[in-house]
Amino acid sequence: MMHTDQSTEQPHSPRIVIVGGVAGGASAAARLRRLDEHASITLIERGADVSFANCGLPYHIGGEIEDRGKLSVQTPASLRAQLAIDVQARTEAISIDRETKTLRIHKLDTDVEEDLGYDKLILSPGATPLKPPLEGIDLPGIYTLRNLQDMDRIKAAAESAQSVLVIGAGFIGLEMAEQLIHLHKDVTLIELVEQVLPQMDAEMVRAVEQELMDNGVRLLLGDGISGFSQGDGTVLSAQLNSGKTITADMVILSIGVRPENQLAKDAGLELGARGHIRTNAHMQTSDPNVYAVGDASETFDPILGGPTAIALGGPANRQGRTAADHIVLGERARPYPGSIGTSIVRVFDVAAGVTGHSEKRLQQMEIEYGKTIITDFNHASYFPGATHLTVKVLWEKSTGRILGGQANGIEGVDKRLDVLATAIKGRLTVDDLEHLELAYAPPFGVAKDPLNTAGFSANNIRSGKLRPVYSLAAAEGSQLLDARPAETHSRSRQYPLPGAAPTSR
Amino acid sequence: MMHTDQSTEQPHSPRIVIVGGVAGGASAAARLRRLDEHASITLIERGADVSFANCGLPYHIGGEIEDRGKLSVQTPASLRAQLAIDVQARTEAISIDRETKTLRIHKLDTDVEEDLGYDKLILSPGATPLKPPLEGIDLPGIYTLRNLQDMDRIKAAAESAQSVLVIGAGFIGLEMAEQLIHLHKDVTLIELVEQVLPQMDAEMVRAVEQELMDNGVRLLLGDGISGFSQGDGTVLSAQLNSGKTITADMVILSIGVRPENQLAKDAGLELGARGHIRTNAHMQTSDPNVYAVGDASETFDPILGGPTAIALGGPANRQGRTAADHIVLGERARPYPGSIGTSIVRVFDVAAGVTGHSEKRLQQMEIEYGKTIITDFNHASYFPGATHLTVKVLWEKSTGRILGGQANGIEGVDKRLDVLATAIKGRLTVDDLEHLELAYAPPFGVAKDPLNTAGFSANNIRSGKLRPVYSLAAAEGSQLLDARPAETHSRSRQYPLPGAAPTSR
């Protein structure tokens, strides 16, 4: 049922070369073929695999995804067979000659170099795990996780390891900690800042931290690594900034990523402040014949303006598609609308995530904002299985426009984040949130959804009807009374008021 | 942390009388008290209960909600104690004198009539189950479900019944059929039109119909009841339009509701075409001192304009709040933004729902629209437990603006409906849908969410890149080839192409 408008009389089908065959690159290749039956599409990939499910890597290590083959969404062979893409795996792109529109490549298996001419070049090199130049960083037993080979190495090492030190409590660090507990390892998770998930606000990740500890993860917040040394046998010893020493059979470094920008930099393409490849709304770099997509590219923040770079699979896929559209459709192509960084992680039974800006970030940007945090049930409380959900909403003080949202809980976290992300897209205000008409039946929601309640609360705050107190420290020296009804009080184990005397019946 | 701005010197706190103590009325009462500590608030309720969870009634009958007490969100006593509402249960409102601003009430237990003066009156009478004047309609064993007493009667009758005939396959009919199967009854479900869930489009409810049959419900579509007669003993006999006869130990009538408008009609308030009480955006009726909220009220359609009336709990609750806001805050109150009819039902393992307009409705309204239907996985297909999800999106042909959406599947249906409802609120187009940045991690979603894919598909259709064929009848006389890759083909058991010869490897 798919057909192309491409006329067979077209004089010249473009030669398109894509560097990087995972999310952004593979999406671009597939979309290009669907738009143009005749284009010459070459996909260069340094690794052995293309289009693998990188978000699934931790879950194969932990055994939750048993079948390794499931992580290969496409293979070089399937891309060739189904979409007639010329896939060159184990091939490195080493330099771009923008004058002659030529890409120099190096075939790793045969050690042969070649030049590939292009009409359009798409760079989708991705990002590489950060490996700070610490003493002992190259000792055996220290791993990073980026591709299937890294995954295989970690999975093999974990078989004989008893203790694992995970460094960095971002998404990958948390997923690895969870999966290693599934493997019955002794897991220590260390994070430089005083909270897990640094892209979220501290009070919104406390439930995640508790869940980690409840499941046996040793959590060290506000501490970093100053170096590694070889311990006894295969045991590694990690020195912490605090002076402590931790020993472990293996170490997983997940402290962040940096964009793979060397090729772009050498070619003189403009880079952003953090080294990402600058692009316009069609994902064109400073050279209109060269596009950049995915984790290595810089796009813009549609909420407050300015550049942003988001290393996530969803944006990478859609940026690949955007670049392909522009190459084939030209000015008829729709621009990329920017990235807001919606993301989520599951940690045992708890989910937590964020969309748009955090409070922390708004403070850094010196934006005047309002906020509310509410806790409610994910679905009708009288229906079996209702669990607590906490939602934080941030809005522009002057207009009420939603700038960001965060949520945590057992069930329904992804749904509320998605609604908030869509609300941000629609430039909705907290007034609009109050009256969102969401799908309600007892198994699925609440007649007044937690997001409606967040809207009610936001509006009570904006109108001056409610003056929230965010910290009980403000009450020092005064007497604290918990005047909530006994029923509310007893239901609020998540939010007790320490030291408060109950006044209620 | 809640305080009111109300000055104690205010000369006169308003006397507010509310008729109807369930969703809309109870919400109005609670919000009024929170806005005005001093107002006199009287709540008149004909039944014995206020603020009960009417959406939960089928689930107590089926035993899924075991504790009957959980259905009482509030009681007359708790509303009095916590919010100082003067609740008069078992009291009927019999007439309104708008000149003297007086409500005549009748206390059912003491058979006493009284006049209540009001400054503002809120009508939240709800809707009553339709009971067509068929022969035998008043025979014992024929039930409707509106309140806790109806629930108790049905639950008691179901204990001794073996066979149950459910008439009407809307939300309540489906929930009752499901719960009665849980009770191991022999259930027949009959619906006048040729599909269940008539507010949805036929092809989007086929999965629900299959699920009902797979779970043992005898489903009779396109047939109606012409009358009832007494069979042997307590057995009822139902005559169908088709000439068939069905016998059952009990009958549940769930063919729809009509607004309880008598009080409003007698008082000369304006009614809409279907008998609902007309309101403005502050829920005021044609008399500015009388408000109407909930199932009996008519509001407006924010998508295409014009009046609409939606009998659902979410709108009722928020309309009650809107009326309360207007009474206390006057022109500072925010208007009600209309209702789009977002709704969902769970039928065994399948969920199905709708937001905004169906295709059927757009055809009735003679709106030029486009549509797409896509099937995808609810979360990453390589992650355990992925299930199929089908989404339909309808858009305004000229602009691409989303006019409605429907979904069915095992998991994640509510989430996609909520996103579509929010997209409608933000007046987003299918172009926007393509780039919605939704929360993705393998347990929760797909890097290209089914809604992104629906956006891709919509845009392929709008740009002429894809010409969908919605019915294979169009192919009659021609040969049908299934040219999809073998893998796709084998995964598409939900959408086989009957009679098609596979061409793929």
Side-chain angles (χ1 to χ4, degrees), chain A residues 187-207:
Chain A
V187 180
T188 302
L189 176 61
I190 180 167
E191 167 59 49
L192 195 58
V193 299
E194 286 284 357
Q195 65 170 93
V196 302
L197 293 174
Q199 59 272 73
M200 290 179 65
D201 294 323
E203 79 278 0
M204 292 301 290
V205 301
R206 294 294 171 238

Side-chain angles (χ1 to χ4, degrees), chain B residues 200-466:
Chain B
M200 291 179 65
D201 294 322
E203 79 277 3
M204 292 301 290
V205 300
R206 294 293 170 240
V208 175
E209 292 163 0
Q210 192 60 51
E211 183 74 1
L212 285 164
M213 293 187 285
D214 288 351
N215 282 278
V217 175
R218 181 152 62 128
L219 190 59
L220 295 179
L221 299 177
D223 207 345
I225 303 289
S226 56
F228 298 95
S229 56
Q230 187 70 53
D232 298 336
T234 59
V235 178
L236 284 159
S237 181
Q239 288 78 49
L240 307 193
N241 296 342
S242 60
K244 286 182 206 157
T245 296
I246 302 224
T247 58
D249 296 329
M250 63 185 287
V251 171
I252 295 171
L253 259 185
S254 53
I255 58 171
V257 295
R258 60 170 187 76
E260 290 239 21
N261 60 10
Q262 199 60 48
L263 187 67
K265 199 171 174 180
D266 291 346
L269 296 173
E270 266 179 42
L271 302 182
R274 290 160 54 216
H276 299 85
I277 308 167
R278 281 222 167 115
T279 63
N280 68 12
H282 293 293
M283 309 314 297
Q284 284 170 297
T285 66
S286 52
D287 178 339
N289 293 314
V290 183
Y291 295 76
V293 302
D295 294 2
S297 73
E298 183 181 271
T299 174
F300 66 98
D301 164 17
I303 305 175
L304 293 169
T308 195
I310 306 274
L312 288 169
N317 276 303
R318 292 180 288 95
Q319 288 168 358
R321 188 179 169 99
T322 298
D325 279 359
H326 193 250
I327 288 171
V328 179
L329 305 173
E331 287 313 303
R332 283 183 298 144
R334 281 181 306 281
Y336 185 73
S339 297
I340 62 174
T342 311
S343 49
I344 189 169
V345 65
R346 186 200 67 184
V347 180
F348 303 100
D349 288 339
V350 169
V354 55
T355 183
H357 293 290
S358 66
E359 183 172 3
K360 226 178 321 193
R361 180 90 186 106
L362 292 174
Q363 285 171 347
Q364 282 164 4
M365 296 174 85
E366 299 182 356
I367 304 291
E368 294 216 11
Y369 64 88
K371 68 169 173 177
T372 186
I373 299 175
I374 65 109
T375 293
D376 209 331
F377 290 99
N378 68 315
H379 66 57
S381 58
Y382 57 80
F383 197 81
T387 56
H388 273 109
L389 184 80
T390 300
V391 175
K392 177 173 185 173
V393 177
L394 294 149
W395 62 86
E396 190 170 50
K397 194 149 198 170
S398 56
T399 63
R401 181 166 65 97
I402 299 166
L403 302 178
Q406 293 166 60
N408 71 59
I410 311 291
E411 292 275 348
V413 171
D414 54 334
K415 176 161 83 169
R416 273 64 179 207
L417 290 173
D418 283 359
V419 169
L420 287 170
T422 308
I424 288 172
K425 177 79 167 194
R427 302 185 86 75
L428 297 188
T429 66
V430 284
D431 293 355
D432 296 319
L433 205 55
E434 192 171 349
H435 281 294
L436 277 185
E437 202 181 320
L438 304 175
Y440 166 57
F444 300 107
V446 194
K448 288 171 185 158
D449 191 86
L451 291 177
N452 297 140
T453 302
F456 297 152
S457 166
N459 288 320
N460 283 338
I461 293 169
R462 290 194 79 211
S463 67
K465 179 64 49 196
L466 181 74

Side-chain angles (χ1 to χ4, degrees), chain A residues 1-5 27 31 34-35 53 55-56 59 64-65 70-71 81-82 313-315 317-318 321-322 334 336-342 344-346 351 382-384 414-415 417-419 421-423 425-426 428 431-432 434-444 447-448 452 456 459-460 464-467 469 485 505, chain B residues 1-5 27 31 34-35 53 55-56 59 64-65 70-71 81-82 313-315 317-318 321-322 334 336-342 344-346 351 382-384 414-415 417-419 421-423 425-426 428 431-432 434-444 447-448 452 456 459-460 464-467 469 485 505:
Chain A
M1 301 180 198
M2 177 74 87
H3 79 122
T4 69
D5 286 332
S27 288
R31 177 67 173 169
R34 293 201 167 100
L35 288 172
C55 303
Y59 300 101
E64 194 164 346
I65 298 174
K70 286 204 173 173
L71 297 175
Q82 286 182 16
N317 276 302
R318 291 179 289 97
R321 187 178 169 100
T322 299
R334 281 182 304 280
Y336 185 72
S339 297
I340 62 174
T342 312
I344 189 168
V345 65
R346 186 201 67 185
Y382 59 80
F383 197 81
D414 54 334
K415 177 161 83 169
L417 290 173
D418 283 0
V419 169
T422 308
K425 177 78 166 195
L428 297 188
D431 293 353
D432 297 319
E434 191 171 347
H435 281 293
L436 278 184
E437 202 181 319
L438 304 175
Y440 165 58
F444 300 108
K448 289 171 184 158
N452 297 139
F456 297 152
N459 289 319
N460 283 337
K465 181 64 48 196
L466 181 75
R467 276 181 290 189
V469 177
R505 293 159 286 277
Chain B
M1 300 181 200
M2 176 75 83
H3 79 121
T4 69
D5 286 332
S27 287
R31 177 65 173 169
R34 293 200 168 99
L35 289 171
C55 302
Y59 300 101
E64 194 163 347
I65 298 173
K70 285 203 173 175
L71 297 175
Q82 286 181 18
N317 276 303
R318 292 180 288 95
R321 188 179 169 99
T322 298
R334 281 181 306 281
Y336 185 73
S339 297
I340 62 174
T342 311
I344 189 169
V345 65
R346 186 200 67 184
Y382 57 80
F383 197 81
D414 54 334
K415 176 161 83 169
L417 290 173
D418 283 359
V419 169
T422 308
K425 177 79 167 194
L428 297 188
D431 293 355
D432 296 319
E434 192 171 349
H435 281 294
L436 277 185
E437 202 181 320
L438 304 175
Y440 166 57
F444 300 107
K448 288 171 185 158
N452 297 140
F456 297 152
N459 288 320
N460 283 338
K465 179 64 49 196
L466 181 74
R467 276 181 289 187
V469 176
R505 291 159 287 281

Side-chain angles (χ1 to χ4, degrees), chain A residues 398-412:
Chain A
S398 56
T399 63
R401 181 167 65 97
I402 299 166
L403 301 178
Q406 293 167 61
N408 71 58
I410 310 290
E411 293 277 347

Side-chain angles (χ1 to χ4, degrees), chain B residues 113-146:
Chain B
E113 290 199 3
E114 256 175 39
D115 284 327
L116 277 183
Y118 64 78
D119 294 311
K120 302 289 175 186
L121 177 66
I122 301 177
L123 303 179
S124 180
T128 190
L130 281 173
K131 233 177 145 176
L134 298 175
E135 199 184 320
I137 191 81
D138 291 319
L139 281 171
I142 302 179
Y143 299 90
T144 57
L145 177 61
R146 182 183 183 179

